[in-house]
Amino acid sequence: MKYIGNYFEWMDPSWINLLDSSKGQPRPQEWPLINSLEEDYYKDFEKIGYKTNQTLWTVYEKYDIQLEITPPWTNGLVHWWFVKMSPGQFMPIHSDPHTHDQECNRYWMPLQDYSTGHVFIINDKLITDYRAGDVFKFDDAQDIHGAANIGFNPRYTFLVTEYL
């Protein structure tokens, strides 16, 4: 991952409160699979014991929270979402299926400073030394990544796909 810069001043401090007060999309249990790659992931997850009928993380997209957001580090068409993980929740290692459909860039931004137990792994690297608002660009939009919260407080992130 490449560090792009810190956008803490651009972030809206009310985002976390909005996420806490909104239902969002419990994943994977309420998520309709979008393509064959994602279907294969879920089949593999279930084979090894993951419970895809439970909420392991929650996604909040534009229509879930009624926000218009234009990340200042992007140009053109973007798709963004927030992820909230409560303590004990996790997201298995995966590559986002929509990044296989067209050329794009991927960005990850934590909404809070690193907290012990907030896990983000991309390829073989554990990312821990970050501050709220740091923006990182995936080396390749299809990089495998996963996350977990084995800490004591919720974990909030903002993810962006920029279509080229």
Side-chain angles (χ1 to χ4, degrees):
M1 285 182 61
K2 178 183 175 190
Y3 178 71
I4 301 299
N6 186 281
Y7 289 82
F8 181 79
E9 296 298 322
W10 168 79
M11 290 173 34
D12 186 332
S14 71
W15 288 346
I16 288 176
N17 291 336
L18 183 59
L19 301 181
D20 283 341
S21 64
S22 302
K23 179 181 186 280
Q25 302 168 45
R27 302 260 178 106
Q29 76 182 39
E30 292 185 17
W31 177 242
L33 303 177
I34 64 170
N35 61 22
S36 61
L37 176 67
E38 194 165 48
E39 288 174 12
D40 290 343
Y41 274 139
Y42 277 49
K43 286 177 189 170
D44 290 343
F45 293 159
E46 289 171 350
K47 278 185 209 172
I48 58 176
Y50 287 116
K51 306 294 184 213
T52 59
N53 62 342
Q54 298 175 355
T55 299
L56 303 178
W57 67 92
T58 304
V59 170
Y60 304 83
E61 294 181 288
K62 177 181 183 175
Y63 56 85
D64 295 312
I65 51 179
Q66 306 303 309
L67 284 179
E68 292 291 334
I69 298 175
T70 303
W73 61 87
T74 61
N75 298 303
L77 181 63
V78 299
H79 176 221
W80 57 260
W81 61 97
F82 293 95
V83 172
K84 176 184 176 182
M85 284 186 180
S86 297
Q89 293 185 326
F90 61 92
M91 181 183 298
I93 293 289
H94 66 285
S95 174
D96 291 302
H98 68 276
T99 63
H100 297 254
D101 297 335
Q102 59 184 306
E103 192 175 349
C104 58
N105 292 320
R106 289 295 315 282
Y107 302 93
W108 178 80
M109 182 179 82
L111 299 184
Q112 66 220 117
D113 293 348
Y114 174 74
S115 179
T116 300
H118 288 191
V119 177
F120 181 61
I121 296 174
I122 183 160
N123 296 319
D124 290 328
K125 185 173 182 185
L126 174 64
I127 308 297
T128 58
D129 189 19
Y130 58 78
R131 307 284 298 164
D134 283 347
V135 173
F136 297 88
K137 181 181 176 186
F138 288 32
D139 293 329
D140 183 308
Q142 297 176 12
D143 284 343
I144 60 169
H145 57 284
N149 184 352
I150 57 172
F152 299 102
N153 56 313
R155 176 187 178 275
Y156 303 92
T157 55
F158 180 64
L159 295 108
V160 177
T161 300
E162 174 186 34
Y163 295 100
L164 305 176

